[in-house]
Amino acid sequence: MTVNSIVPEAGDFRVQTIRKAQGEADWPFTADEGYLMCAPSMGQKLVYFVPQNAEGENEYPINIDTNFMAMAIINVGRGDAFRAYANYEDLIKRLSPYVTMGKRLCDQPAGTVIPESSL
């Protein structure tokens, strides 16, 4: 990514496969598996979840963050990517471990693909 770039390029992302564990009650996504991705932009660590559908195809990435308002603006029209939640606090509680893991992923070199459960 160049110094003046705001939007990360494909090679800037770090990637890790994640999937719902059997019996996991707090899994926040409707998709049972996908990719956790992170890239730095303007001094921030941007974390995304890329759901995989039943055919194993990637769907449109969704931004995950502990700032609900920022996440809502970026993900306009993508509310169906999250499992039903009681309130915003419930969603943020479910997302927080994945946001933290994604930010740790961002500490890896650009282009890194990490095996599942390594972070």
Side-chain angles (χ1 to χ4, degrees):
M1 180 164 72
T2 63
V3 175
N4 295 327
S5 181
I6 295 173
V7 178
E9 298 169 3
D12 297 323
F13 282 88
R14 294 84 164 141
V15 181
Q16 180 174 4
T17 301
I18 59 172
R19 65 178 43 94
K20 179 181 178 185
Q22 187 172 354
E24 184 174 356
D26 286 337
W27 179 256
F29 311 108
T30 54
D32 288 341
E33 63 183 286
Y35 297 102
L36 189 64
M37 300 178 75
C38 184
S41 177
M42 297 178 41
Q44 300 292 317
K45 295 176 180 180
L46 304 178
V47 181
Y48 294 89
F49 175 68
V50 180
Q52 284 188 328
N53 63 26
E55 291 78 35
E57 297 169 336
N58 295 337
E59 296 184 0
Y60 193 79
I62 54 171
N63 174 258
I64 60 173
D65 199 319
T66 54
N67 178 333
F68 184 80
M69 188 57 90
M71 190 175 65
I73 291 169
I74 294 169
N75 295 325
V76 160
R78 293 283 301 153
D80 62 343
F82 302 108
R83 285 184 42 231
Y85 49 92
N87 52 47
Y88 301 131
E89 292 81 19
D90 181 41
L91 177 62
I92 297 303
K93 177 183 150 252
R94 291 181 190 181
L95 287 174
S96 289
Y98 299 98
V99 172
T100 300
M101 187 175 10
K103 289 183 178 186
R104 283 197 318 256
L105 184 60
C106 233
D107 294 334
Q108 305 302 313
T112 298
V113 177
I114 297 187
E116 186 176 352
S117 302
S118 292
L119 289 176

